[in-house]
């Protein structure tokens, strides 16, 4: 903390053309750590012209339990500026900054020379900015009236000559206001209504959700409260009271501008449904869910009381041109949409009869209606059929479409990514591989080569245009669905994958942005005890920073065309990523990037010196005999060399996981294996991973402890001294020494994402979570994820939804684990523990997840404090017995332990059927509404539930329902 003696003279004079000087005193309560100070910086030279180094340092004073930072700046009359507060160190290096919009200050005319204007501010957190994201501003709150500005900021209506009086300018923010509703300030003085709302001081609307008024006040006129009051008599009073503290040590202020932040009331909460696009089923789609199906899903969501639809990634993944491409997180392009979701019937209003017949026949085949119903998606057949039909329509209408003004507009807005994407698809098909290193002279991307590939006079121009045509129609269909969702006050939430496929458009066009000799994954966690290897190259963040992360900013801008919220996949990767060598298959033997390694000097000081032994796979003959039995000699002769008596090392041709896989494939072809390939592969991988330290391939004097080091026999055979040293260094590496580095790394990258669009951002923060993650997410206004079976709290087997924080999404399951119903049925002992611990019953639980059990679990979650409760559609279907006839295991979307999992789950009931099912819609809507969560309005349904539940729980618990100071019981009935 900077001492006041260092602060110098605060009253630095600005140029004064008007001949009078006014002193602006900035005042902000904020707790800092030792060595930190608060600084105000703004648009005018007197505040540094947005150069924080030239900003004005504030001085700290303790006032009761608060630490108040304040400072005076001399400005001319009529002064105006934008400004923000920053936490800095002694060198004015920024450590933290406010979230949200820049503040605005506009001094009114009439302030006399030498007078003091105090500006009372509150630090703006990330969560303060959430109501201004497109999810709320343009969707959930879009039904509120459009207000006319009643009084612009900077106009003061009152004057006062009394020495003991102050003109207080009240300013409060409220973005969700109903029609014919006003904001009031009330208190005990007569001018504030004596706590009667009807006689209170009405605030004027100033634009941008700001309400303001001014009043001549004395200090003992406080405390005050803000409230909303409508012509229909509906009243809402904020929780708590507002006090006013004044510092007269540098001269009493004549004016106080009170910036009171947001109106304090019970926080908004909502619910939603999560379902992959490919899993949706309607009567109109062709073998898979399609973008236009979202309109029916919006209708069902509104009628079920849900404000949000969450999808998995919808980008093109056509890398292999087979079912492996069903993996939605392995993008061929981070900009292109997936042709799988195209509705071919909507390509034209003039589809020839023979093509319509082909579509009908294809639908029967893909849905298997005749004899063998097809439950899930047939990825390859569906893709082939859609592209075939689209090709026929393109041949018929290409000139009409490509020359249309609508297409020309789309092309001009998207050509930066569209041209490389189309060229890539052409080259992929021509060379029959997406591995662009196999493309000869086209392996290295250049603008000149691209221009020739997509030139109108090229012989393959029609092929290029076909890819334009597909993307154009995908855009039209998704945009139509997205607009429909907005108009119906339903948030469409997308998914931002953490990686891209190494054989993708992005790695071809921007190879400098990726570390192509590495692979991305996750260390062992709830999802997989052996870790995960996703196969994506890691990012070259240093290179990305050179253009202020333009590639990321473009991704978010593209997403924002369709979505109003998004999920940041594996947000931990923006703090640090689990990096594996490119030759790895599993995810165990990796290291975090960035991270501070163990240096050779550090290890030697601790008496650790035998690095070759610690970094080499530790293989003894008895290990081979234990793992492979009578086959051990075959394994030893084919994969290993004996370098000491009964000590082995891997041969050069099989000393990596990928080499082992290749060698095993060769053995299978020659019928040499005596046991299953899977068993031998796992055994060999175990031997290869039996190390203590990983040597840095770029610096031989740096080392990383292997994850779960104590599980390795290499570690177990060490002496006690080395064990103790390595255990201590292991815990230091994974849980202590990296925290500041990871925090700063996230604060460099995440704000760029958040500022690239106005979408509501949520972060998937599951897995091995560093302690710096949640404070940073809170600081930036990022919403976390809570899954009940994966609690963050140590020592808990099941999370407690009632204890979740507001800035979270809560759910009983997600796409990366079994559904609620499957989880309940797969483990009897765990089911009994849940029934006893969570349900609170000593009785034997039912073996099946009955509708009553499902409703109990869902109710726990909708009643949680979390901002959002988002449920997989499968978990909603568990509320009704007739929807649980399909085996629960078949409803799982992904198995994280299987890198070649087929993502093909499809809901077994159509949306049309669900729309006709009033029972399940009413059940869900009552659950949501009775928990105090917001529901989209649907007329009669809303009225029916209002009759059953006259007052939402959230209002019953509100402190505004208690008697206000100085008000009679009769006067507070409306409250």
């Amino acid at each position: 903390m900077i001492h006041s003696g260092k602060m110098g003279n605060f009253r630095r004079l600005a140029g004064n053309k008007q001949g009078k000087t006014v002193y602006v005193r900035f005042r902000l309560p904020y707790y800092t750590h030792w060595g930190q100070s608060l600084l105000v910086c703004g648009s005018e030279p007197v505040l540094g012209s947005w150069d924080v180094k030239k900003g004005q340092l504030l001085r700290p004073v303790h006032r009761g339990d608060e630490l108040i930072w304040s400072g005076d700046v001399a400005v001319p009359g009529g002064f105006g500026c934008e400004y923000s507060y920053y936490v800095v160190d002694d060198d004015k290096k920024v450590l933290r900054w406010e979230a949200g919009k820049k503040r605005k200050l506009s001094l009114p005319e009439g302030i006399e020379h030498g007078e003091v204007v105090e500006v009372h501010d509150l630090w703006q957190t990330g969560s303060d900015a959430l109501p201004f994201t497109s999810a709320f501003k343009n969707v959930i709150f879009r039904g509120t009236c459009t207000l006319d500005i009643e009084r612009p900021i900077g106009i003061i209506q009152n004057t006062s000559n009394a020495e003991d009086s102050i003109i207080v300018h009240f300013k409060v923010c409220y973005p969700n206001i109903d029609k014919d509703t006003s904001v009031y300030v009330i208190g005990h003085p007569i001018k504030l209504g004596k706590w009667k709302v009807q006689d209170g001081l009405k605030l004027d609307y100033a634009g941008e959700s700001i309400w303001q008024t001014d009043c001549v006040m004395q200090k003992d006129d406080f405390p005050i409260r803000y409230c909303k009051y409508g012509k229909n008599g509906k009243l809402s009073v904020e929780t708590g009271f507002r006090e006013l503290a004044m510092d007269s040590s540098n001269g009493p202020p004549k004016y106080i501008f009170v910036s009171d932040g947001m109106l304090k009331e019970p926080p908004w909460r909502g619910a939603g449904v999560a379902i992959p696009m490919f899993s949706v089923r309607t009567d109109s789609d062709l073998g898979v869910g399609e973008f236009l199906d979202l309109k029916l899903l919006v209708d069902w969501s509104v009628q079920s009381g849900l404000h949000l639809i969450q999808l998995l990634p919808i980008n093109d993944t056509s890398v292999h041109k087979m079912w492996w491409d069903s993996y939605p997180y392995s993008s061929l392009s981070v900009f292109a949409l997936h042709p799988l979701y195209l509705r071919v019937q909507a390509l034209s209003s003039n589809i020839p009869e023979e093509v319509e017949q082909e579509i009908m026949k294809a639908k029967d085949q893909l849905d298997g209606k005749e004899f063998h119903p097809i439950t899930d998606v047939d990825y390859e057949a569906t893709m082939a059929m859609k592209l075939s039909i689209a090709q026929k329509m393109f041949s018929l209408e290409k000139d009409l479409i490509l020359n249309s003004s609508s297409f020309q507009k789309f092309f001009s807005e998207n050509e930066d990514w569209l041209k490389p994407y189309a060229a890539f698809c052409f080259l992929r098909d021509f060379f029959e591989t997406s591995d662009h290193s196999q493309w000869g002279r086209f392996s290295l991307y250049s603008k000149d080569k691209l221009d020739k590939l997509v030139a109108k006079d090229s012989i393959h121009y029609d092929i290029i245009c076909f890819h334009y045509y597909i993307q154009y129609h995908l855009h039209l269909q998704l945009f139509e669905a997205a607009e429909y969702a907005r108009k119906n006050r339903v948030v469409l939430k997308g998914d931002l994958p953490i990686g891209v496929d190494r054989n993708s458009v992005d790695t071809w066009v921007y190879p400098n942005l990726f570390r192509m000799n590495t692979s991305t994954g996750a260390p062992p966690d709830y999802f997989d005890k052996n870790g995960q290897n996703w196969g994506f190259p890691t990012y070259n963040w240093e290179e990305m920073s050179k253009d202020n992360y333009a590639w990321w900013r473009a991704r978010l801008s593209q997403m924002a065309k369709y979505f109003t919220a998004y999920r940041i996949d594996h947000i931990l990767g923006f703090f640090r990523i689990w990096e594996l060598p490119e030759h790895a298959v599993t995810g165990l033997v990796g290291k975090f990037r960035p991270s501070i390694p163990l240096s050779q000097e550090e290890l030697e000081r601790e008496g650790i010196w035998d690095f070759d032994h610690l970094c080499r796979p530790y293989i003894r003959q008895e290990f081979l005999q234990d793992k492979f039995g009578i086959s051990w000699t075959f394994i030893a002769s084919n994969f290993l060399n004996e370098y000491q008596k009964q000590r082995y090392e891997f041969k050069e041709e099989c000393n990596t996981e990928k080499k082992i896989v290749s060698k095993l494939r060769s053995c299978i072809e020659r019928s040499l294996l005596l046991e299953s390939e899977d068993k031998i592969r796992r055994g060999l991988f175990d031997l290869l991973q039996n190390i203590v330290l990983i040597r840095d391939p770029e610096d031989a004097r740096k080392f990383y402890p292997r994850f779960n080091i104590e599980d390795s026999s290499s570690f177990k055979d060490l002496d006690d001294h080395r064990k103790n040293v390595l255990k201590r260094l292991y815990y230091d590496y994974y849980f202590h020494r990296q925290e500041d580095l990871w925090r700063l790394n996230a604060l460099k990258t995440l704000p760029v994402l958040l500022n690239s669009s106005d979408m509501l951002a949520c972060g998937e923060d599951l897995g091995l979570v560093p302690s710096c993650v949640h404070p940073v997410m809170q600081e930036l206004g990022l919403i976390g994820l809570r899954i009940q079976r994966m609690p963050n709290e140590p020592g808990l087997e099941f999370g407690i939804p009632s204890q979740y924080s507001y800035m979270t999404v809560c759910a009983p399951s997600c796409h990366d684990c079994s559904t609620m119903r499957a989880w309940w049925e797969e483990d009897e002992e765990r089911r009994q523990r849940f029934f006893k611990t969570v349900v609170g019953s000593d009785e034997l639980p039912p073996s099946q997840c009955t509708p009553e059990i499902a409703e109990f679990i869902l109710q726990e979650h909708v009643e949680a404090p979390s901002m959002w409760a988002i449920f997989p559609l499968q978990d909603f279907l568990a509320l009704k017995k007739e929807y649980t006839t399909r085996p629960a295991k078949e409803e799982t979307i992904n198995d994280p332990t299987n890198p070649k999992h087929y993502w093909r789950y499809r809901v077994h009931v159509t949306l049309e059927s669900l729309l006709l099912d009033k029972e399940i819609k009413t059940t869900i809507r009552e659950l949501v509404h009775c928990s105090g969560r917001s529901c989209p309005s649907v007329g009669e349904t809303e009225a029916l539930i209002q009759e059953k539940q006259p007052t939402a729980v959230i209002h019953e618990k509100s402190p505004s329902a208690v008697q206000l100071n100085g008000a009679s019981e009769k006067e507070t009935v409306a409250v």
Side-chain angles (χ1 to χ4, degrees):
M1 190 181 299
I2 294 178
H3 297 287
S4 57
K6 295 182 181 180
M7 302 303 291
N9 182 10
F10 272 84
R11 300 192 174 191
R12 286 176 50 183
L13 289 172
N16 192 346
K17 296 180 181 178
Q18 298 182 12
K20 64 179 178 181
T21 298
V22 176
Y23 296 101
V24 175
R25 180 175 301 151
F26 294 96
R27 184 184 186 281
L28 183 89
Y30 190 88
Y31 280 103
T32 56
H33 297 294
W34 183 260
Q36 297 178 349
S37 290
L38 222 64
L39 172 151
V40 61
C41 184
S43 57
E44 295 300 308
V46 71
L47 294 179
S49 299
W50 292 123
D51 182 350
V52 175
K53 295 284 186 184
K54 297 178 181 178
Q56 293 297 301
L57 286 167
L58 307 181
R59 63 178 180 271
V61 178
H62 282 281
R63 291 274 186 261
D65 295 333
E66 291 186 316
L67 183 63
I68 307 295
W69 293 83
S70 64
D72 295 2
V73 178
V75 300
F79 176 81
C81 70
E82 292 186 332
Y83 67 100
S84 285
Y85 293 99
Y86 299 83
V87 177
V88 297
D89 63 14
D90 289 343
D91 298 320
K92 287 193 174 181
K93 179 182 177 182
V94 176
L95 303 176
R96 193 171 295 115
W97 57 90
E98 287 190 290
K101 296 180 179 179
K102 304 296 184 187
R103 300 173 183 271
K104 293 181 180 179
L105 175 64
S106 181
L107 297 184
E109 297 295 336
I111 299 179
E112 297 299 325
H113 174 75
E115 288 186 336
V116 177
V117 176
E118 267 193 8
V119 178
H120 289 216
D121 286 324
L122 298 173
W123 181 269
Q124 292 179 165
T125 65
S127 58
D128 291 335
L130 296 186
F132 303 100
T133 59
S134 56
F136 288 100
K137 181 178 62 177
N138 299 334
V139 182
I140 295 168
F141 297 160
R142 72 174 286 138
T144 60
C145 60
T146 304
L147 300 171
D148 296 325
I149 293 178
E150 298 170 309
R151 180 171 25 143
I153 290 176
I155 295 178
I156 298 290
Q157 294 178 330
N158 285 279
T159 59
S160 173
N161 296 318
E163 290 186 5
D164 61 341
S165 65
I166 302 166
I167 298 175
V168 178
H169 180 264
F170 296 99
K171 185 172 71 173
V172 69
C173 180
Y174 195 74
N176 182 25
I177 199 82
D178 295 328
K179 188 176 181 181
D180 295 326
T181 298
S182 298
V183 178
Y184 292 81
V185 59
I186 56 175
H188 70 83
I190 294 176
K191 56 198 163 196
L192 297 184
K194 285 186 167 290
W195 297 112
K196 295 179 182 178
V197 176
Q198 297 91 328
D199 299 330
L201 185 61
K202 181 179 175 295
L203 278 70
D204 298 315
Y205 186 62
E208 298 185 0
S209 301
I210 299 296
W211 298 79
Q212 64 172 6
T213 191
D214 56 83
C215 184
V216 178
M217 305 276 288
Q218 280 76 39
K219 186 175 181 179
D220 58 2
D221 286 343
F222 284 79
I224 58 97
R225 269 176 146 174
Y226 295 102
C227 61
K228 293 184 302 177
Y229 185 62
K231 288 185 178 178
N232 59 0
K234 187 177 180 181
L235 172 67
S236 174
V237 181
E238 70 173 352
T239 57
F241 295 90
R242 311 260 188 169
E243 295 284 356
L244 181 70
M246 287 179 281
D247 179 13
S248 58
S249 57
N250 288 336
K254 189 66 178 176
Y255 297 84
I256 296 181
F257 285 64
V258 180
S259 191
D260 268 329
M262 302 290 292
L263 200 71
K264 297 176 184 177
E265 62 178 8
W268 186 96
R269 291 150 67 240
V273 60
I275 187 73
M277 191 69 258
F278 58 79
S279 298
V280 173
R281 185 187 293 270
T282 69
D283 292 335
S284 301
D285 59 41
L286 191 62
V288 70
E290 297 166 347
F291 288 146
L292 288 175
D293 292 334
L294 290 171
K295 295 171 76 172
L296 284 179
L297 187 55
V298 167
D299 291 341
W300 182 81
S301 298
V302 170
Q303 293 174 33
S304 301
L306 307 176
H307 261 301
L308 182 145
I309 295 170
Q310 177 173 314
L311 303 176
L312 293 189
I314 53 171
N315 295 109
D316 192 358
T317 58
S318 306
V319 175
H320 306 283
K321 301 202 75 173
M322 58 177 293
W323 68 262
W324 287 0
D325 297 334
S326 66
Y327 180 26
Y329 289 89
S330 189
S331 308
L332 177 83
S333 165
V334 298
F335 300 102
L337 299 171
H338 206 309
L340 186 69
Y341 306 127
L342 181 71
R343 175 159 296 171
V344 292
Q345 301 97 308
L347 290 175
S348 172
S349 57
N350 298 305
I351 297 178
E353 186 177 346
E354 62 271 21
V355 176
E356 287 187 345
Q357 291 298 321
E358 184 179 355
I359 292 171
M360 293 302 296
K361 184 179 179 181
K363 182 165 178 57
D364 288 344
Q365 290 173 349
L366 293 172
D367 287 344
K369 287 184 177 178
E370 295 183 10
F371 303 108
H372 303 289
I374 297 174
T375 306
D376 292 323
V377 177
D378 186 333
Y379 182 90
E380 293 174 18
T382 303
M383 277 291 289
M385 189 63 68
K386 290 196 174 193
L387 291 176
S388 171
I389 294 168
Q391 184 68 62
K392 291 174 182 176
M393 293 308 304
F394 173 72
S395 299
L396 292 170
E397 297 193 339
K398 60 184 177 184
D399 293 335
L400 176 68
I401 297 297
L402 299 180
N403 292 321
S404 68
S405 59
S406 175
F407 173 81
Q408 293 296 328
K409 181 176 184 291
F410 166 77
F411 185 81
S412 66
E413 291 175 354
N414 295 278
E415 61 180 312
D416 287 347
W417 65 264
L418 190 57
K419 285 180 177 179
Y421 166 77
F424 187 98
C425 291
F426 165 73
L427 292 169
R428 172 200 62 197
D429 298 343
F430 181 83
F431 288 102
E432 298 183 335
T433 179
S434 291
D435 183 355
H436 39 82
S437 68
Q438 307 298 311
W439 289 355
R441 68 189 183 92
F442 294 108
S443 294
L444 295 177
Y445 171 86
S446 76
K447 183 71 165 55
D448 289 342
K449 292 175 188 175
L450 175 68
D451 289 342
K452 291 176 182 177
L453 280 168
V454 302
K456 290 185 178 182
D457 58 356
S458 67
I459 58 173
H460 49 260
Y461 185 61
D462 263 13
I463 300 174
I464 296 292
C465 285
F466 176 64
H467 296 294
Y468 295 164
Y469 170 83
I470 292 290
Q471 288 301 312
Y472 169 65
H473 279 288
L474 286 166
H475 159 73
L476 291 180
Q477 293 179 16
L478 179 56
F479 190 80
E480 179 183 332
E483 283 297 294
Y484 188 80
R486 283 190 185 95
K487 289 176 181 176
N488 285 276
R489 298 178 66 199
V490 173
V491 173
L492 200 58
K493 181 181 176 184
D495 198 324
L496 184 74
I498 186 62
V500 301
D501 199 282
R502 69 177 57 252
N503 297 318
S504 65
V505 182
D506 302 279
T507 58
W508 181 51
V509 177
Y510 308 106
N512 58 316
L513 302 185
F514 304 91
R515 293 171 50 83
M516 296 298 288
N517 63 337
T518 66
S519 188
T520 304
D525 58 14
Y526 176 91
F527 297 109
D528 193 336
K529 65 179 182 179
N530 295 313
Q532 299 175 61
N533 185 343
W534 302 321
F536 315 134
T538 56
Y539 295 120
N540 185 341
W541 289 109
E542 293 78 12
E543 194 67 28
M544 287 180 161
S545 69
K546 292 178 181 178
D547 60 4
N548 194 27
Y549 310 95
W551 182 76
W552 283 102
R553 288 186 284 113
R555 287 183 73 177
L556 271 295
S557 297
Q558 185 72 8
M559 282 189 78
K561 293 177 181 178
Y562 313 108
F563 299 105
T564 49
Y566 66 107
R567 167 189 179 271
I568 302 174
D569 175 42
H570 192 63
I571 197 171
L572 306 184
F574 291 90
F575 293 79
R576 82 293 183 272
I577 199 71
W578 187 244
E579 186 175 79
L580 301 149
E582 192 274 333
H583 55 69
V585 174
T586 66
L588 181 63
V589 185
K591 67 178 188 296
F592 285 123
R593 176 175 288 274
S595 66
I596 303 167
L598 309 178
S599 68
Q600 185 165 324
E601 295 77 13
E602 180 181 7
L603 290 162
E604 287 174 344
R605 282 198 304 269
E606 299 279 3
I608 305 295
W609 50 266
D610 47 345
F611 302 109
D612 286 340
H613 168 74
L614 296 172
C615 297
R616 172 191 289 184
Y618 181 56
I619 307 171
R620 291 164 43 183
Q621 183 172 306
E622 57 261 41
F623 298 168
L624 299 175
Q625 292 167 334
D626 287 345
K627 282 187 180 295
F628 303 107
I630 59 173
S631 300
W632 82 267
T633 54
F634 169 81
I635 297 297
S637 61
N638 281 274
F639 294 87
L640 306 167
N641 291 322
E642 188 174 13
Y643 70 93
Q644 286 181 8
K645 185 174 176 57
Q646 297 187 352
R647 294 287 181 90
Y648 293 83
E649 65 181 3
F650 279 93
K651 293 180 177 181
E652 178 67 26
E653 65 267 24
C654 45
N655 62 357
T656 71
E657 291 178 350
K658 283 190 175 177
K659 288 180 180 179
I660 288 172
V661 170
S662 178
K663 178 91 170 185
L664 283 172
R665 194 176 297 123
S666 172
C667 291
I668 292 171
E669 291 170 357
R670 291 181 289 155
S671 302
L672 298 177
L673 299 184
L674 301 177
E675 295 189 72
S676 75
E677 178 200 4
D678 184 59
K679 180 181 178 183
I680 293 174
R681 183 179 67 250
R682 280 188 283 112
L684 289 169
F685 282 3
D686 285 347
L687 293 176
L688 192 64
Q689 296 163 354
N690 191 22
I691 58 176
V692 174
L693 296 177
I694 302 167
R695 194 187 295 267
D696 192 317
E698 298 170 11
D699 187 339
R701 297 180 66 82
K702 293 179 180 176
F703 302 88
Y704 306 89
R706 198 209 84 168
F707 201 86
N708 289 342
I709 191 174
E710 295 179 58
D711 293 344
S712 70
S713 53
S714 179
F715 176 85
K716 292 173 182 175
D717 280 2
L718 296 175
D719 59 71
D720 288 344
H721 169 72
R722 287 186 293 175
K723 280 183 183 177
N724 291 333
V725 168
L726 288 166
K727 273 168 58 175
R728 175 164 46 81
L729 292 175
Y730 173 90
Y731 284 100
D732 180 56
Y733 174 83
Y734 281 104
F735 303 108
H736 297 292
R737 70 166 64 187
Q738 319 295 348
E739 293 294 329
D740 287 341
L741 173 65
W742 291 345
R743 179 184 178 278
L744 292 174
N745 195 53
L747 288 174
K748 281 191 297 186
T749 55
L750 285 173
V752 176
L753 267 71
L754 300 179
N755 294 331
S756 298
S757 77
D758 60 357
M759 292 184 289
L760 177 68
C762 307
E764 181 264 291
D765 53 346
L766 304 176
L768 184 69
V769 183
S771 59
C772 63
V773 169
H774 291 150
V776 167
M777 290 181 67
Q778 183 177 5
E779 185 175 327
L780 297 178
L782 279 159
I783 301 167
L785 177 61
R786 300 292 176 268
I787 305 294
Q788 188 171 24
R789 69 187 77 170
M790 309 173 204
N792 284 330
E793 301 82 2
L796 280 183
E797 183 178 13
F798 311 111
I800 306 172
S802 63
Q803 295 180 6
Y804 294 160
S805 67
Y806 175 65
M807 291 291 289
T808 56
V809 170
C810 68
S813 68
C814 65
H815 69 272
D816 274 331
C817 59
S818 54
T819 61
M820 176 177 69
R821 193 161 65 93
W823 178 83
W824 180 270
E825 296 170 8
E826 66 193 8
D827 188 325
E828 181 182 355
E829 291 182 358
R830 183 182 62 201
R831 181 168 66 240
Q832 290 177 357
R833 293 194 300 273
F834 182 90
F835 206 62
K836 180 179 178 63
T837 306
V838 179
V839 181
S841 173
D842 291 322
E843 297 181 9
L844 195 65
S847 59
Q848 303 296 308
C849 184
T850 63
E852 293 75 23
I853 292 293
E855 184 167 353
F856 172 84
I857 295 174
L858 265 59
Q859 184 171 349
E860 261 203 311
H861 286 77
V862 293
E863 291 181 351
S866 303
M867 179 189 296
W868 290 101
I870 302 176
F871 303 92
L873 182 58
Q874 305 96 300
D875 290 353
F876 276 135
L877 296 182
L879 288 168
K880 193 167 183 180
K881 190 171 183 180
E882 70 182 71
Y883 296 132
T884 63
T885 54
R886 186 176 183 182
K889 283 186 178 180
E890 292 182 8
E891 293 184 330
T892 299
I893 294 166
N894 177 39
D895 175 7
T897 65
N898 178 9
K900 292 299 181 186
H901 176 74
Y902 194 170
W903 297 62
R904 62 185 310 201
Y905 166 71
R906 201 166 178 217
V907 180
H908 58 288
V909 57
T910 66
L911 285 177
E912 289 87 349
S913 299
L914 288 176
L915 276 164
L916 293 173
D917 190 335
K918 292 183 179 179
E919 181 185 351
I920 195 166
K921 288 188 298 183
T922 303
T923 300
I924 296 169
R925 193 174 181 91
E926 285 185 352
L927 274 171
V928 174
H929 180 80
C930 294
S931 71
R933 293 183 180 270
S934 171
C935 294
S937 177
V938 288
E940 291 181 5
T941 308
E942 181 84 0
L944 176 66
I945 295 178
Q946 289 283 4
E947 286 176 17
K948 294 185 177 183
Q949 183 75 11
T951 305
V953 172
I954 199 163
H955 293 137
E956 289 175 355
K957 294 180 179 178
S958 170
S960 62
V962 301
Q963 183 171 327
L964 301 176
N965 287 7
S968 69
E969 185 176 348
K970 182 179 179 181
E971 292 163 348
T972 61
V973 170
V975 180

